[in-house]
């Protein structure tokens, strides 16, 4: 906050700089605890089955609109508008599609103006709103010549667009598909914010359609900086709020300083009479601040949505931000919450005023004009009030947001929010966040305003931005538009949590443990009171306890199932342990003790065990999360020649016979399958040792060679194998080559090792 303190004199500028330095130091020094996704799903992971709608020849699924009944998704793509039936789970079905290409004439003109006929001179749909019961209204870039039209609906089907119904759409859609824009329909009028010219240097905030006069921002008065970039528009009863980013003119800074803004206009504004004709008479803007102590300010707003007030709470706007600065080559993101009440209060406070002679911004108190200029008073405003409004459009105070989530290394492009009713009867705030690399984060905000990430789902195999997100509450899914189609992402897959403990630790308000069926399930309405959940604390000790609550119950210390491994003596076993949660730490136990070090090793979470003598018995992999430990998997291991009787304490627990051959070392499961691997392993090790000592001797024979070899080893670290050639012109690089050949004769796996050494 202090970083953006107003400053014009050198001292405050110096202060600003040192603040920035301090912020830099703090940020690089202490990372703080930012949330990690508890579970990460790669693209195509079967545990989070998503469905994709795409169609050959269609691309850029940028604009999404949900029908009033929630059963149809209208999509604005490149040169086409689609109606998708989303009522059934699974892939959205194409209801119908209407083409809306830019005219050939406009395309020719566009190409003539040096825009690309391959990527830019098309009609990219930018506005798609529900105008009335029978019509949608849509605008597109129309090959750098914005155009709009009404689209008639019949039974949720789109009727074709007739060319004579297409009108000019300047101010409603940008010219350039790369420019930001926003539009919202309120009381039958379209409020849009975008670039109003071909060059993209003249931003505009305009009201069109409907009975009221068309009103614009005044370009000459510089209410908006030339680079203003709109990301959201949110109507309330009296006002329409616009969220955007622009260069900050009120701060002097050694580089171009971006700042995020909220602007508002009154819905009942009719424009001025003599002054401010056809212009807003109620335009005001204020700075939005999203910072966390010790972090650089997140000064670039990316998207904002309103969550209307539930019964008791106040309406809040949730917005994602990134920073114009990068730390260590990565950007970070934040999500902040702003209450409408705070925004309103700032707009009722003092103004900033530009002194034209000194070019300094100063604070200006509240004017003695009644009704207050910029308030939505009915009746014509006085000339005095309008004159005041011309120059007093920036509020003095900032709207300070509450940071809910700060995450480095990701840039959130879009967000969607909802509240999910939990078993505890409270509403829990859920955020869905799309990233620039094609991931979706599901975050849940606790009562103390800190968020945890329930999961991260990688939507596309290749990183590319999520262009749009839309929550369809009736369908229990989020729809994500990107260049190649639309993903349907169900809110949750509770079945991946196999135990009550895991179900509760997930802290997903959509999932709860049903003790009757013994499964983690999507919470239905009405909410069954017997289901177990603890969204706030995630404490399974309490939520999964079977006895009286409050005692130190160990609800899961007894395994649910025991996997029985009957193995060949002297064989090497691999006992896998699924690491479901990234927030847990995992360890192994043997009986009541820690694992016996001598005859086993943990490799990538799995326990690798040499079955010899008395190492049989109970092996358990334990997860510890939030101070709570529970067995993830339990094995009863014994050998085929002397089966062990099961521990009486474990009687009554269902058992399942599994095979656990070693599959990793040697790379071949076939080799290892239920056959003693030990002699083979020894042979390989001995041969490898011989080969390595031979190589070492050769190297030591020539001190120069040793030096060169060291250089080469370093070279190997940075160069791909093909580029080693220039380094190996000396003849004593021959020996390593020989070594490699000999090593590969021994075993495929040790050859890999051999190359690394050489
Ligand atoms: C949910 O997870 C279960 C268990 O991993 C899996 O079998 C199922 O296919 C998943 N369902 C969806 C819709 O992702
Ligand atoms: C774009 O213009 C070039 C040259 O005028 C032409 O060769 C090419 O076919 C055009 N591409 C498309 C997609 O129209
Ligand atoms: C909806 O708006 C269109 C376009 O202005 C108009 O033609 C149509 O009659 C309207 N329909 C209803 C039901 O008001
Ligand atoms: C470690 O285990 C995970 C999951 O079981 C697997 O995806 C990964 O490939 C393993 N890594 C190595 C180096 O074996």
């Amino acid at each position: 906050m202090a970083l953006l303190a107003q400053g014009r004199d050198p001292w405050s500028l110096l202060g600003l700089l040192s603040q920035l330095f301090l912020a830099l130091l703090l940020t690089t020094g202490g990372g703080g605890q930012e949330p990690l996704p508890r579970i990460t799903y790669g693209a195509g992971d079967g545990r989070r089955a998503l469905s994709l709608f795409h169609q050959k020849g269609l691309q850029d699924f940028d604009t999404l609109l949900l029908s009033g009944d929630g059963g149809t998704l209208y999509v604005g793509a490149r040169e086409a508008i689609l109606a998708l039936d989303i009522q059934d789970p699974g892939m959205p079905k194409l209801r119908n599609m209407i083409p809306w290409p830019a005219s050939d004439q406009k395309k020719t003109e566009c190409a003539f103006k040096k825009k690309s006929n391959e990527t830019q001179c098309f009609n990219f749909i930018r506005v798609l709103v529900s105008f009335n019961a029978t019509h949608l209204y849509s605008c597109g870039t129309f090959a750098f010549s914005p155009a709009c039209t009404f689209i008639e609906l019949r039974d949720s089907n789109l009727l074709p667009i007739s060319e004579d119904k297409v009108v000019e759409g300047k101010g409603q859609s940008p010219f350039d598909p790369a420019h930001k824009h926003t539009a919202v329909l309120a009381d039958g009028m379209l409020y849009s914010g975008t670039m109003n010219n071909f060059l993209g240097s003249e931003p505009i905030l305009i009201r069109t359609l409907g009975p009221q006069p068309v009103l614009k921002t005044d370009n000459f008065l510089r209410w908006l900086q030339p680079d203003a970039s709109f990301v959201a528009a949110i109507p309330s009863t009296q006002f329409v709020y616009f969220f955007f980013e622009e260069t900050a003119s009120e701060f002097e800074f050694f580089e171009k300083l971006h700042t995020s803004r909220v602007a508002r206009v009154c819905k009942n504004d009719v424009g001025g009479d003599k002054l401010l004709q056809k212009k807003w008479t109620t335009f005001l803007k204020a700075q939005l601040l999203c910072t966390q102590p010790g972090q650089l300010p997140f000064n670039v707003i990316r998207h904002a949505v309103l969550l209307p007030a539930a019964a008791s709470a106040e309406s809040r706007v949730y917005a994602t931000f990134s920073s114009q600065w990068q730390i260590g080559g990565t950007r970070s993101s934040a999500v902040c919450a702003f209450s409408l009440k705070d925004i309103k209060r700032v707009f009722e406070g003092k103004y900033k005023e530009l002194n034209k002679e000194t070019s300094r911004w100063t604070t200006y108190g509240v004017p003695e004009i009644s009704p207050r200029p910029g308030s939505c008073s009915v009746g014509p405003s006085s000339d005095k009030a309008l004159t005041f409004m011309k120059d007093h459009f920036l509020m003095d105070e900032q709207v300070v947001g509450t940071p809910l989530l700060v995450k480095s290394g990701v840039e959130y492009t879009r967000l969607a929010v909802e509240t999910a009713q939990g078993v505890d009867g409270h509403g829990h705030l859920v955020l869905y966040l799309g990233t620039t690399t094609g991931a979706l984060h599901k975050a849940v905000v606790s009562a103390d305003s800190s968020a945890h990430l329930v999961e991260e789902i990688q939507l596309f195999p290749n990183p590319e931005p999520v262009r749009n997100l839309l929550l369809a509450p009736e369908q229990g899914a989020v729809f994500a538009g990107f260049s190649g189609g639309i993903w349907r992402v169900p809110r949750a897959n509770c079945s991946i949590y196999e135990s009550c403990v895991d179900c509760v630790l997930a802290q997903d308000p959509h999932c709860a443990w049903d003790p009757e069926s013994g499964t983690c399930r999507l919470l239905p309405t009405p909410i069954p009171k017997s289901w177990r959940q603890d969204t706030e604390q995630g404490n399974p000790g309490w939520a999964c306890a079977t006895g009286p609550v409050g005692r130190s119950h160990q609800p899961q210390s007894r395994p649910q199932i025991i996997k029985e491994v009957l193995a060949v003596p002297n064989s090497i076993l691999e006992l896998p342990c699924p690491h479901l949660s990234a927030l847990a730490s995992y360890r192994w136990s043997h009986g009541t003790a820690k694992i016996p070090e001598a005859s086993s090793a943990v490799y990538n979470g799995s326990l690798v065990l040499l079955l010899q003598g008395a190492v049989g018995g109970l092996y358990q992999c334990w997860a510890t999360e939030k101070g709570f430990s529970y067995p993830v998997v339990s094995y009863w291991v014994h050998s085929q020649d002397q089966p062990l009787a099961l521990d009486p304490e474990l009687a009554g627990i269902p058992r399942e016979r599994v095979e656990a051959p070693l599959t990793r070392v040697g790379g071949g499961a076939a080799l290892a399958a239920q056959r003693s691997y030990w002699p083979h392993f020894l042979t390989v090790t001995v041969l490898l040792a011989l080969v390595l000592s031979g190589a070492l001797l050769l190297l030591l024979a020539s001190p120069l060679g040793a030096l060169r070899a060291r250089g080469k080893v370093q070279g190997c670290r940075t160069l791909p194998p093909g580029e080693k050639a220039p380094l190996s012109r000396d003849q004593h690089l021959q020996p390593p080559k020989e070594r490699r050949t000999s090593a590969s004769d021994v075993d495929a796996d040790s050859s890999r090792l051999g190359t690394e050494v050489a």
Side-chain angles (χ1 to χ4, degrees):
M1 198 185 318
L3 173 61
L4 294 184
Q6 184 188 0
R8 282 278 152 168
D9 58 90
W11 288 113
S12 57
L13 188 60
L14 208 67
L16 209 64
L17 277 171
S18 59
Q19 289 273 354
L20 182 65
F21 253 86
L22 199 67
L24 263 171
L25 283 177
L26 286 169
T27 326
T28 44
Q33 338 84 331
E34 56 174 52
L36 265 184
R38 186 169 183 271
I39 306 184
T40 300
Y41 302 98
D45 193 319
R47 295 174 296 169
R48 210 65 170 84
L50 316 176
S51 33
L52 170 67
F53 173 86
H54 65 123
Q55 183 144 324
K56 203 160 179 283
L58 284 185
Q59 63 183 76
D60 303 310
F61 294 72
D62 292 339
T63 313
L64 304 177
L65 170 70
L66 201 58
S67 67
D69 64 5
T72 305
L73 182 67
Y74 297 107
V75 182
R78 196 175 94 173
E79 310 227 292
I81 299 172
L82 295 79
L84 302 179
D85 182 350
I86 54 167
Q87 267 158 329
D88 299 326
M91 198 179 100
K93 287 188 271 300
L94 182 64
R95 220 191 262 282
N96 83 318
M97 179 190 101
I98 52 168
W100 188 21
S103 63
D104 288 341
Q105 188 206 338
K106 293 293 183 195
K107 284 186 177 177
T108 312
E109 285 171 21
C110 176
F112 185 73
K113 291 178 194 161
K114 296 273 184 293
K115 298 293 175 186
S116 160
N117 67 347
E118 312 258 326
T119 57
Q120 295 176 303
C121 296
F122 295 100
N123 188 21
F124 294 86
I125 308 302
R126 287 294 174 257
V127 177
L128 192 58
V129 292
S130 205
F131 184 71
N132 61 22
T134 57
H135 285 76
L136 302 183
Y137 184 74
S138 181
C139 304
T141 60
F142 216 75
F144 275 77
S145 174
C148 296
T149 188
F150 285 101
I151 300 166
E152 200 179 336
L153 297 174
R154 198 160 294 160
D155 304 327
S156 303
N157 281 324
L158 306 155
L159 298 191
I161 295 166
S162 61
E163 232 167 80
D164 56 321
K165 291 268 172 60
V166 176
V167 295
E168 205 221 44
K170 223 159 114 11
Q172 300 177 340
S173 164
F175 286 65
D176 188 335
H179 280 143
K180 299 261 179 70
H181 69 98
T182 184
V184 70
L185 194 84
D187 304 340
M189 281 167 291
L190 189 76
Y191 294 82
S192 48
T194 189
M195 282 296 174
N196 196 31
N197 63 350
F198 182 86
L199 291 176
S201 55
E202 187 195 314
I204 189 170
L205 228 167
I206 187 171
R207 181 178 71 194
T208 49
L209 300 181
Q212 300 252 57
V214 170
L215 294 183
K216 306 174 182 181
T217 37
D218 191 304
N219 204 33
F220 177 75
L221 295 172
R222 283 252 180 172
W223 289 348
L224 297 166
Q225 290 292 309
D227 59 354
S229 172
F230 293 89
V231 300
I234 295 172
S236 75
T237 24
Q238 267 191 311
F239 308 102
V240 177
Y241 295 100
F242 287 87
F243 293 83
F244 62 104
E245 172 234 319
E246 63 178 4
T247 299
S249 61
E250 70 267 37
F251 312 111
E252 202 158 89
F253 203 58
F254 60 91
E255 64 175 316
K256 187 174 135 154
L257 184 67
H258 295 256
T259 190
S260 296
R261 306 265 194 218
V262 54
R264 80 166 198 202
V265 291
C266 289
K267 280 183 179 172
N268 67 358
D269 197 336
V270 292
D273 195 7
K274 286 194 296 273
L275 292 167
L276 292 179
Q277 249 181 29
K278 296 184 185 158
K279 301 283 156 61
W280 297 106
T281 64
T282 54
F283 175 87
L284 291 173
K285 68 179 183 184
Q287 191 191 349
L288 281 177
L289 212 56
C290 180
T291 57
Q292 206 179 39
Q295 298 264 355
L296 289 168
F298 295 95
N299 58 336
V300 180
I301 190 167
R302 303 293 286 262
H303 191 215
V305 290
L306 175 78
L307 188 66
S312 59
E314 51 182 341
S315 296
R316 302 223 280 177
V317 172
Y318 297 90
T320 58
F321 292 81
S322 54
S323 176
Q324 82 183 84
W325 301 282
Q326 295 184 22
I327 310 254
T330 63
R331 290 192 190 279
S332 40
S333 286
V335 180
C336 273
F338 301 89
S339 83
L340 277 191
K341 222 165 72 193
D342 280 350
I343 295 177
K344 206 155 170 257
R345 186 178 47 74
V346 168
F347 281 121
E348 281 163 5
K350 293 176 185 166
Y351 303 82
K352 277 196 202 303
E353 184 183 65
L354 184 67
N355 183 320
K356 300 218 166 77
E357 274 151 39
T358 60
S359 293
R360 284 172 182 226
W361 287 86
T362 52
T363 302
Y364 184 92
V366 179
E368 283 167 8
I369 305 171
S370 182
R372 183 181 159 123
S375 63
C376 304
S377 61
V378 283
S381 302
S382 63
D383 282 359
K384 197 173 159 202
L386 294 186
T387 311
F388 181 83
M389 285 307 288
K390 281 167 77 172
D391 296 324
H392 300 86
F393 50 86
L394 178 60
M395 304 315 296
D396 189 49
E397 225 186 298
Q398 302 142 336
V399 186
V400 181
T402 311
L404 304 177
L405 173 65
V406 170
K407 185 104 184 91
S408 55
V410 299
E411 277 182 80
Y412 293 131
T413 53
R414 306 282 295 191
L415 85 164
V417 299
E418 66 174 339
T419 46
Q421 193 83 14
V423 173
D424 57 7
H426 295 299
H428 301 278
L429 182 68
V430 181
L431 309 169
Y432 302 91
L433 299 148
T435 75
T436 48
T437 52
L440 184 74
H441 284 180
K442 179 177 181 179
V444 178
V445 182
S446 304
D448 67 355
S449 290
S450 69
H452 57 97
L453 294 176
V454 172
E455 56 188 6
E456 169 180 294
I457 306 166
Q458 182 65 34
L459 301 175
F460 337 118
N462 300 320
E464 65 161 294
V466 172
R467 304 257 187 103
N468 212 335
L469 271 189
L470 187 73
L471 188 74
E474 285 89 352
Q475 317 306 334
V478 179
F479 290 86
F482 72 111
S483 69
I486 305 269
W487 283 104
R488 178 197 191 109
V489 186
R491 273 184 184 128
N493 179 8
C494 303
S495 326
I496 63 149
Y497 310 117
E498 289 179 354
S499 63
C500 179
V501 172
D502 209 19
C503 186
V504 167
L505 282 172
Q507 288 182 278
D508 185 335
H510 293 125
C511 297
W513 183 256
D514 171 12
E516 213 159 289
S517 66
T519 50
C520 188
R521 296 168 69 180
L522 206 59
L523 209 54
T525 41
I527 294 165
K529 286 287 168 238
S530 64
W531 287 23
R532 308 300 178 80
Q533 191 188 51
D534 181 12
T535 307
E536 277 298 319
Q537 306 294 330
N539 181 355
W542 167 79
C544 298
T546 43
V549 180
R551 306 240 120 238
S552 61
H553 274 273
Q554 288 273 311
Q556 279 282 317
S557 60
R558 253 175 95 80
Q560 283 182 314
I561 190 163
I562 291 181
K563 299 189 175 192
E564 189 179 354
V565 183
L566 199 58
V568 179
N570 287 331
S571 61
I572 298 176
L573 302 176
E574 181 189 358
L575 308 177
C577 174
H579 286 195
L580 186 63
S581 167
L583 309 181
S585 60
Y586 293 86
R587 69 184 166 84
W588 282 89
S589 71
H590 178 209
T592 51
K594 274 180 68 184
I595 52 153
E597 294 289 344
S599 56
S600 61
V602 177
Y603 174 75
N604 191 24
S606 292
L607 185 68
V608 180
L609 192 67
L610 172 62
L611 192 65
Q612 260 183 337
V615 298
L618 180 69
Y619 285 89
Q620 289 183 295
C621 175
W622 294 80
T624 305
E625 189 171 349
K626 294 190 191 303
F628 188 86
S629 293
Y630 64 103
V632 178
V633 58
S634 307
Y635 295 94
W636 184 255
V637 177
H638 47 164
S639 80
Q640 280 169 357
D641 34 347
Q642 38 182 180
L644 269 175
L646 192 66
D647 194 326
E649 283 207 8
L650 302 174
I653 299 173
R655 272 190 277 167
E656 174 193 40
R657 182 71 68 84
V658 295
E659 307 244 302
L662 179 73
T663 53
R664 286 178 206 267
V665 180
L671 261 178
Q674 285 298 332
R675 178 152 72 78
S676 178
Y677 199 82
W678 188 239
H680 199 92
F681 183 64
L682 272 181
T683 320
V684 171
T685 316
V686 169
L687 276 176
L688 191 69
L690 280 175
V691 162
L692 286 180
S693 33
L696 204 66
L697 275 176
L698 270 171
L699 277 177
L700 289 178
S702 142
L704 187 66
L707 264 178
R708 293 249 164 92
R710 203 158 56 202
K712 180 163 184 293
V713 167
Q714 280 159 3
C716 288
R717 292 256 170 267
T718 48
L719 285 173
E723 293 180 32
K724 279 189 241 170
L727 286 165
S728 55
R729 62 191 135 80
D730 293 332
Q731 67 270 59
H732 53 232
L733 286 173
Q734 280 313 103
K737 242 189 220 157
E738 278 162 21
R739 252 182 297 139
R740 217 170 336 177
T741 337
S742 60
S744 69
D745 286 343
V746 178
D747 186 289
D749 187 61
S750 39
S751 110
R752 203 168 354 114
L753 236 154
T755 349
E756 266 166 37
V757 174

